[in-house]
Amino acid sequence: MEHYAVIDLGSNSARLAVTKIMDDGTFENVVERKEAVRLSENMGPEKVLKQPAIDRTINALKSFKENFEDLPNVTVKAVATAATRMATNQKDFLAEVKAETGIDLEVIPGTKEAYYDYLGVINSLPIVNGIIMDTGGASTELILVQNKRIINLISLPIGSVTLSESDVIEDRPSAGQMYKVFDQLNEIYNNIWWLYRGTNLPIIGLGGSNRTLAKIKRRNDPDRKHWDDIHGFHLSAQEVKDIFLKIIDSTLEERKNIPGLSKERADIIVGGLAPAMSLIWRLNSDRMIFSKQGLRFGVLYEHISELRNNGKSTSINLENFEAPESDE
């Protein structure tokens, strides 16, 4: 028996999942935690992690550690994504985390992040064809899936925090601000040559911003008892558009009172949903499907697969997949 703790340090949130893996390969989740750390806050064009964000992150990691340090036979896998990946003071940050928490953070490239997203989705939902989209605080991953296999993937250096900070859309966004955001996204998508192959396919939404769409809709369901159970939940493209319209037509204070939209995300939700909205229009997708199992569970599924195969790696070669220069 093994306890496997996965820490996913993103640009906006830090997440923990602890899983008990039995000797026969079965497993059960025993701990799930999330803390909003805003690690990418105010990084600016110089791409420097700021001390307030670093302090929030270290406090969250210390809190996470309390959930697994006393468990028997614990293995820890801690990965850091976009904010840490692009930070010019990455080395100092990793050293400070190690000194303060004892946790070794592994900075993974965007293509690896996208691959883990794929593993999390494909092992937990009956997805055959679609575009997996994980919108985080400072990056967005896109994965084209056909016949359950990865065809192409890419990590883009845009996310809910970076789009919101660069285009100042904290309060009710103006038409000019929205035009600027969607024009930027259009240019980015134009440069992904394979994206047209996702035309008319569903979008599988990962990340807190995308999942907020499902949570808002579920809060309006007659049975609200399990409103946050959105794994596998579907929304039509029109339902997504209606929710987005309500969000952009609200002030910051009004957004904080929308059921299903957390107050801590209200200031970045417009920027966080813009990539998905732009993709829906471009691909003429008729629906979004939502997944609660992304990177953390992808790491878990890879580990379990390796255990079942006596330690043989099951990872695919990502060298031929696209990644923007900023991921290097």
Side-chain angles (χ1 to χ4, degrees):
M1 187 273 292
E2 174 190 24
H3 284 98
Y4 193 62
V6 180
I7 295 173
D8 168 14
L9 177 56
S11 306
N12 186 53
S13 302
R15 298 173 185 267
L16 167 70
V18 182
T19 305
K20 182 188 292 185
I21 305 174
M22 311 305 178
D23 293 337
D24 62 0
T26 60
F27 60 92
E28 61 174 319
N29 297 326
V30 294
V31 176
E32 281 198 54
R33 291 275 311 279
K34 172 195 167 186
E35 294 288 341
V37 296
R38 292 283 175 95
L39 183 58
S40 63
E41 187 174 60
N42 298 322
M43 288 183 71
E46 68 276 13
K47 303 300 181 186
V48 174
L49 295 173
K50 298 301 193 293
Q51 198 59 47
I54 292 174
D55 292 340
R56 289 194 299 268
T57 299
I58 289 176
N59 288 336
L61 294 177
K62 287 179 178 178
S63 176
F64 285 174
K65 192 173 179 180
E66 294 173 358
N67 287 264
F68 60 76
E69 61 182 343
D70 293 329
L71 293 174
N73 194 24
V74 178
T75 301
V76 181
K77 173 85 168 182
V79 299
T81 56
T84 311
R85 193 160 57 227
M86 68 176 68
T88 55
N89 58 337
Q90 176 191 120
K91 184 176 180 180
D92 291 339
F93 169 63
L94 297 178
E96 187 172 352
V97 168
K98 174 65 174 178
E100 292 287 335
T101 70
I103 295 172
D104 288 302
L105 280 173
E106 176 188 351
V107 185
I108 61 173
T111 48
K112 188 71 171 180
E113 183 177 357
Y115 173 62
Y116 283 139
D117 285 335
Y118 160 78
L119 287 182
V121 169
I122 211 69
N123 281 286
S124 64
L125 289 175
I127 301 298
V128 178
N129 301 301
I131 294 277
I132 299 172
M133 180 180 213
D134 182 3
T135 307
S139 72
T140 294
E141 283 66 51
L142 298 176
I143 306 100
L144 173 63
V145 177
Q146 292 182 340
N147 295 321
K148 293 193 171 186
R149 299 177 63 86
I150 295 177
I151 303 301
N152 289 97
L153 57 76
I154 191 169
S155 179
L156 305 169
I158 53 169
S160 58
V161 177
T162 52
L163 284 171
S164 298
E165 288 183 347
S166 64
D167 293 299
V168 197
I169 49 180
E170 287 189 3
D171 208 347
R172 180 182 282 139
S174 69
Q177 288 170 344
M178 294 308 303
Y179 176 85
K180 182 179 179 181
V181 170
F182 284 115
D183 185 57
Q184 177 186 355
L185 290 167
N186 188 55
E187 288 298 317
I188 290 170
Y189 291 158
N190 280 343
N191 290 321
I192 305 174
W193 66 266
W194 49 264
L195 196 56
Y196 77 96
R197 298 178 68 177
T199 300
N200 299 137
L201 294 182
I203 295 171
I204 299 91
L206 293 169
S209 293
N210 290 332
R211 286 192 285 257
T212 293
L213 291 165
K215 290 181 177 180
I216 291 174
K217 181 64 176 180
R218 286 299 299 264
R219 270 295 179 96
N220 291 318
D221 287 350
D223 179 12
R224 301 183 185 183
K225 184 177 180 181
H226 304 292
W227 68 270
D228 60 343
D229 181 16
I230 51 92
H231 189 63
F233 189 64
H234 291 221
L235 282 180
S236 70
Q238 188 58 55
E239 288 174 316
V240 170
K241 293 171 186 176
D242 290 343
I243 294 171
F244 185 67
L245 179 60
K246 178 179 181 178
I247 289 172
I248 63 172
D249 201 33
S250 301
T251 65
L252 176 59
E253 289 304 312
E254 288 169 343
R255 292 199 296 274
K256 289 179 179 179
N257 292 312
I258 295 176
L261 171 54
S262 67
K263 290 179 171 59
E264 67 188 28
R265 194 177 293 279
D267 60 333
I268 58 171
I269 189 61
V270 177
L273 288 177
M277 297 307 305
S278 184
L279 193 66
I280 285 175
W281 292 324
R282 172 173 287 263
L283 300 182
N284 195 28
S285 297
D286 66 348
R287 65 194 184 281
M288 283 189 74
I289 305 168
F290 299 91
S291 173
K292 293 185 72 174
Q293 297 200 15
L295 187 153
R296 299 186 314 290
F297 288 91
V299 173
L300 170 66
Y301 290 130
E302 180 183 65
H303 181 66
I304 290 173
S305 180
E306 289 174 352
L307 290 175
R308 290 171 177 170
N309 288 280
N310 298 316
K312 296 178 182 179
S313 176
T314 57
S315 298
I316 65 171
N317 187 338
L318 299 174
E319 291 182 358
N320 296 323
F321 289 111
E322 294 192 41
E325 291 182 0
S326 60
D327 281 346
E328 298 300 326

